Amino acid sequence: MEFPVLKNDRLLRAAKGEKVDVVPVWVMRQAGRYLPEFREERSKADFFTMCQTPELACKVTLQPIERFPLDAAIIFSDILVIPQALGMDVEMRPGEGPVFPSPLSEPSDLSKLGKASEVCCKLQYVFNAITLTRHRLQGKVPLIGFCGAPWTIMAYMIEGKGSKTMSKAKSWFYKYPEESHALLQLITDATIEYLVGQVKAGAQLLQVFESHAEHLGPYLFKEYALPYLKLIVDQVKERVAAQGLDSIPMTIFPKGGHYCLKDVAQLNYDVIGIDWTVDPAKARELVGPNKTLQGNLDPCALYASKDNISKMVQEMVNRFGVHRYIANLGHGIYPDMDPEHLAAFIEAVHKHESKE
Ligand code: 1CP
């Protein structure tokens, strides 16, 4: 597929470990409720209708790009489109977030799920949104595609919504280890197809969100998360190459996963995202010199004055260094954030030029 020439390749350069002119920056949930123009669109349509309508998904993906000098766009969608494509109902309830009315409760429920190979047909709307957005971006910045990591998706499929303890989902590891692996393998197979489809459609970097890494700890992570994260990065890269497509960098964001950074650094991901509870120097020590780090300002730090935001960004960049670094928050931006404070964050990051 032919797309407009990319004019700002800072994010891709940083991801690949190449020199950059200034530190690249984007923000998780940059297309979201803190923007009045997003709330306006959202008041007219249901969340998943927005995801499923390429014109609408494209429009809200571009909103933060039109407002701020960000270095990347991320396609508007959700990680929960994979369980939906496997046949589960998901509702987005106001004030509550996503809810599965009939979550998986025992292994026999696995027979109700669809096949991994069918997922791509059902998610064609995401591919169409990506292709449309790549054209409408006119090469201004690269477009990020994404998915949830298998454990994080499994957690929602069993819990049915967010949870403080993930006790229902984790109980499967202790009661039904074999079926847990079968479920994780199904999600992994579907995810690999889905990510390759996103690259074919025009995604230029892929981020895998392991949002619930904190619940696992080192032993469960090694058994139930790491092997699937490895399959995803290896298979996606192999299939992208086999289809003659340009190779693309991949990011893993194991939120709350201090304990797993060293193991995750052994995988073929180019970028490792860290949340604000990890010290950048410690992260660098754990992942070694050959990975790009992404993060990690506390999302709440954007409640500070613009002057203080600028100072905190200065300290953050000093800790990470200008190279092999992508600035971001340590998690998604909050819905009640003043967009002007995000502007201050971005401006402060871009002050950091490479001296070499
Ligand atoms: O701008 C962007 O970042 C792109 C859009 C995007 C992304 C990358 C959305 C839109 N969701 C996601 C990923 C996502 N979805 C994650 C991984 C990132 C993270 O850890 O936050 C997760 C865990 C979800 C699941 C989800 N969807 C939640 C969390 C539920 C919980 O309690 O655990 C919520 C609240 C949503 C809804 C959602 N997704 C996206 C938006 C803008 C919203 C708000 C819903 C609305 O407008 O009503």
Side-chain angles (χ1 to χ4, degrees):
M1 226 178 290
E2 281 287 320
F3 290 115
V5 176
L6 184 61
K7 295 172 198 139
N8 171 351
D9 64 351
R10 268 175 212 145
L11 176 93
L12 302 183
R13 293 182 64 84
K16 292 187 267 188
E18 297 167 6
K19 297 253 156 77
V20 288
D21 55 348
V22 298
V23 171
V25 53
W26 70 281
V27 165
M28 289 182 271
R29 293 282 167 96
Q30 63 189 28
R33 288 169 294 173
Y34 72 103
L35 285 178
E37 57 270 35
F38 176 89
R39 292 197 298 271
E40 165 76 28
E41 290 304 323
R42 182 70 177 84
S43 70
K44 294 185 267 180
D46 166 75
F47 178 81
F48 286 112
T49 305
M50 283 176 72
C51 296
Q52 289 156 11
T53 313
E55 274 293 335
L56 286 178
C58 172
K59 189 171 185 182
V60 296
T61 299
L62 296 179
Q63 284 175 346
I65 305 303
E66 280 150 12
R67 215 189 232 259
F68 309 112
L70 288 157
D71 295 302
I74 178 163
I75 192 67
F76 181 80
S77 183
D78 199 82
I79 63 169
L80 300 177
V81 299
I82 283 281
Q84 271 181 336
L86 288 170
M88 296 184 78
D89 284 337
V90 187
E91 295 165 8
M92 197 58 78
R93 296 197 187 149
E96 208 183 345
V99 175
F100 291 66
S102 316
L104 304 176
S105 64
E106 49 188 274
S108 62
D109 291 339
L110 295 180
S111 64
K112 297 180 198 156
L113 298 174
K115 293 201 184 82
S117 56
E118 289 161 6
V119 156
C120 277
C121 310
K122 302 213 170 121
L123 296 177
Q124 187 60 45
Y125 65 84
V126 179
F127 306 148
N128 294 344
I130 288 175
T131 304
L132 179 65
T133 307
R134 263 301 289 278
H135 285 291
R136 296 255 169 96
L137 271 169
Q138 297 178 312
K140 204 171 166 191
V141 291
L143 181 61
I144 302 173
F146 70 91
C147 67
W151 149 245
T152 292
I153 296 297
M154 170 183 172
Y156 284 107
M157 289 167 89
I158 297 172
E159 296 286 340
K161 54 185 176 186
S163 154
K164 281 215 168 80
T165 60
M166 296 290 165
S167 60
K168 288 196 189 104
K170 286 175 68 183
S171 78
W172 276 50
F173 295 147
Y174 298 100
K175 292 196 286 188
Y176 320 120
E178 269 178 41
E179 292 86 350
S180 297
H181 278 298
L183 174 56
L184 289 163
Q185 188 65 53
L186 172 68
I187 298 167
T188 300
D189 293 342
T191 300
I192 291 166
E193 301 273 338
Y194 179 47
L195 291 181
V196 173
Q198 292 190 34
V199 177
K200 268 198 235 167
Q204 290 156 291
L205 180 150
L206 296 171
Q207 175 153 328
V208 178
F209 285 93
E210 185 70 285
S211 299
H212 298 309
E214 66 174 296
H215 295 281
L216 295 184
Y219 314 115
L220 287 178
F221 190 87
K222 273 204 183 80
E223 167 88 22
Y224 294 104
L226 201 63
Y228 301 102
L229 293 174
K230 178 170 166 53
L231 276 172
I232 289 174
V233 72
D234 290 347
Q235 293 277 313
V236 169
K237 288 194 171 190
E238 195 183 307
R239 292 202 200 173
V240 163
Q243 298 198 21
L245 298 160
D246 287 344
S247 73
I248 42 132
M250 290 179 68
T251 301
I252 172 73
F253 175 47
K255 171 146 194 299
H258 301 237
Y259 63 84
C260 70
L261 292 178
K262 207 170 174 170
D263 289 328
V264 160
Q266 305 310 309
L267 307 181
N268 262 326
Y269 291 91
D270 306 272
V271 184
I272 301 177
I274 55 173
D275 66 71
W276 67 97
T277 64
V278 185
D279 174 356
K282 183 76 190 164
R284 178 54 74 199
E285 189 187 311
L286 290 169
V287 309
N290 299 326
K291 298 286 178 187
T292 296
L293 287 169
Q294 173 174 280
N296 77 340
L297 194 73
D298 179 355
C300 289
L302 296 192
Y303 293 119
S305 68
K306 291 184 195 166
D307 279 351
N308 282 335
I309 290 171
S310 180
K311 280 182 203 134
M312 289 185 283
V313 168
Q314 173 83 50
E315 287 164 13
M316 174 175 80
V317 181
N318 288 346
R319 290 189 184 110
F320 279 101
V322 170
H323 288 296
R324 278 243 176 238
Y325 176 48
I326 297 164
N328 205 311
L329 300 177
H331 202 196
I333 185 167
Y334 293 132
D336 64 349
M337 194 51 68
D338 178 348
E340 286 307 308
H341 285 220
L342 176 57
F345 173 74
I346 296 165
E347 193 190 322
V349 172
H350 280 162
K351 277 192 198 144
H352 294 271
E353 291 179 27
S354 166
K355 306 244 159 38
E356 288 155 56

